[in-house]
Amino acid sequence: MKKNSEDLLIRINELFAAEPDAEQKAWGIIHDFYHYVLTYMEKNKITKAYLARKLGKSRAAISQMFNKTPNITVVKMVEIADAIGVDLSIITREIALKARKVEYQVKTDVLPVFIKIDRDLEKKVRGKNQNFLIEGGRMTIQIGQEKFAISEFEA
Amino acid sequence: MNKREISFKKLPIAEYYGEPIYDVWHVIVNGKPVVLDSLLDLDESSRKETVDIISRMATREKYYGGVEWRLKKRKYGEIKPWGHRFFFFVKFGENIVIFDYREKKRKGPLKSEVYKLVDKNREKYEEEFRRFINKNQ
């Protein structure tokens, strides 16, 4: 492999492996906002046309807003949330992560065990008890070729 | 001319984003990252935006912020940092493969010919990825 290509790969890996700085986290807040709004609209069958009417904007302006996921002011976020009937507030990431965890019972070779696990991960691993391992008092779950530590569990 | 050697490289995901539920791969041709190298040419803000979207896709079920999982009439999705840059991807079970990048130079949507070209690449890389994952599992 050429040195230049190796350098490119290293630089790409570094971008993704690095913990995000303030700007990247801020982008995350904006992306999460659009994610929640779009998910809520889909779940409650709220159309973009309805949102456009509520905000007094054209349908095209609303589509453009969702397509571009632009940097958005807090006032605009609240206006959009209000228009679809969502009461927007701020919570810390720690609280959000805790709220995302669900208790889940898994069977292992030894005992049934209760674990606390991220909601999205739980959906993925449901029914895949054979992937849970307890070794030396530590619990892991294997997904594909990778193992993840389960930090909160009790028998 | 030598045959093009196609492989795939898995992206690491920063701990901040939580436990990944998808593996995210990008295309490597003859050792070169031919899709994500464009990430390095973006301005810093767009780069951070893109990295954030991809990291959230890896750790969340059906993440919609800046992502369209399946384009109408197409068998692939797009990641849209800003409105004129597009990273295209396909999902195979617990794998997401980023296989193409396009930049729009003028107003309006991307031309349908572009989407057709992207689709050709999808077909090619989808087949290669199946081979790659079968060989490496």
Side-chain angles (χ1 to χ4, degrees):
Chain A
M1 197 191 303
K2 285 179 187 170
K3 181 86 176 80
N4 188 31
S5 298
E6 270 178 35
D7 287 346
L8 289 175
L9 278 170
I10 290 168
R11 285 172 63 198
I12 290 166
N13 267 15
E14 282 172 354
L15 285 178
F16 283 88
E19 291 302 313
D21 63 5
E23 189 181 356
Q24 194 167 314
K25 286 180 183 176
W27 274 119
I29 291 171
I30 293 167
H31 296 143
D32 270 358
F33 171 74
Y34 282 106
H35 168 69
Y36 292 128
V37 166
L38 287 165
T39 306
Y40 186 86
M41 285 172 70
E42 188 183 271
K43 198 174 165 191
N44 293 283
K45 298 185 171 55
I46 297 170
T47 62
K48 285 178 183 166
Y50 172 85
L51 181 59
R53 276 198 306 277
K54 286 286 266 185
L55 292 173
K57 297 206 179 260
S58 68
R59 172 76 207 273
I62 296 296
S63 286
Q64 199 185 29
M65 181 180 78
F66 282 110
N67 283 335
K68 288 190 174 175
T69 61
N71 204 337
I72 186 172
T73 64
V74 176
V75 172
K76 188 53 81 188
M77 280 187 185
V78 176
E79 278 175 9
I80 294 169
D82 280 351
I84 60 168
V86 169
D87 197 10
L88 201 63
S89 68
I90 288 181
I91 55 167
T92 66
R93 183 172 166 269
E94 287 74 16
I95 294 172
L97 286 176
K98 210 169 178 181
R100 280 168 54 82
K101 297 222 170 187
V102 288
E103 196 170 74
Y104 180 60
Q105 187 187 1
V106 293
K107 287 177 193 144
T108 67
D109 291 345
V110 193
L111 286 167
V113 169
F114 289 96
I115 61 170
K116 279 191 179 162
I117 189 169
D118 189 275
R119 201 177 293 275
D120 284 341
L121 189 60
E122 189 268 337
K123 279 185 206 161
K124 278 267 173 228
V125 301
R126 196 178 293 158
K128 294 181 181 171
N129 291 339
Q130 70 278 9
N131 292 330
F132 288 92
L133 303 163
I134 297 181
E135 290 166 328
R138 304 178 79 170
M139 185 169 192
T140 55
I141 174 174
Q142 183 149 3
I143 300 176
Q145 292 169 346
E146 275 190 78
K147 275 185 186 175
F148 300 91
I150 304 287
S151 50
E152 294 178 65
F153 68 94
E154 59 183 59
Chain B
M1 197 165 46
N2 286 341
K3 194 174 176 277
R4 281 154 51 99
E5 192 187 305
I6 297 168
S7 68
F8 300 86
K9 182 98 179 154
K10 194 167 99 176
L11 290 172
I13 301 295
E15 209 175 296
Y16 172 84
Y17 290 99
E19 294 147 345
I21 55 174
Y22 295 109
D23 286 338
V24 184
W25 305 83
H26 61 112
V27 175
I28 309 290
V29 177
N30 293 336
K32 188 174 184 256
V34 290
V35 180
L36 286 193
D37 60 342
S38 51
L39 199 55
L40 302 169
D41 297 330
L42 297 182
D43 62 276
E44 203 182 340
S45 185
S46 301
R47 198 160 59 223
K48 284 176 182 171
E49 186 188 356
T50 312
V51 170
D52 183 80
I53 295 173
I54 295 171
S55 303
R56 282 169 201 274
M57 281 172 78
T59 50
R60 309 275 283 275
E61 194 70 57
K62 208 150 192 197
Y63 191 73
Y64 283 121
V67 185
E68 205 156 329
W69 284 82
R70 184 83 177 249
L71 295 171
K72 266 185 193 164
K73 298 180 188 167
R74 306 284 169 200
K75 291 179 177 171
Y76 54 87
E78 69 184 13
I79 299 162
K80 296 173 290 184
W82 296 93
H84 59 293
R85 291 180 174 127
F86 305 84
F87 289 91
F88 296 96
F89 67 93
V90 275
K91 182 176 162 288
F92 297 96
E94 284 156 8
N95 300 292
I96 291 168
V97 183
I98 302 170
F99 67 89
D100 207 341
Y101 170 77
R102 304 279 161 162
E103 205 174 314
K104 199 170 64 179
K105 300 274 189 274
R106 55 176 190 86
K107 276 192 169 185
L110 274 181
K111 286 183 175 176
S112 64
E113 296 88 78
V114 175
Y115 283 106
K116 281 178 191 162
L117 286 174
V118 173
D119 205 34
K120 277 193 173 175
N121 277 340
R122 181 208 43 94
E123 275 177 24
K124 179 172 70 184
Y125 291 125
E126 199 174 289
E127 205 182 308
E128 290 288 346
F129 185 74
R130 280 184 209 282
R131 219 171 287 155
F132 169 85
I133 208 83
N134 284 337
K135 205 169 111 185
N136 290 285
Q137 264 180 349

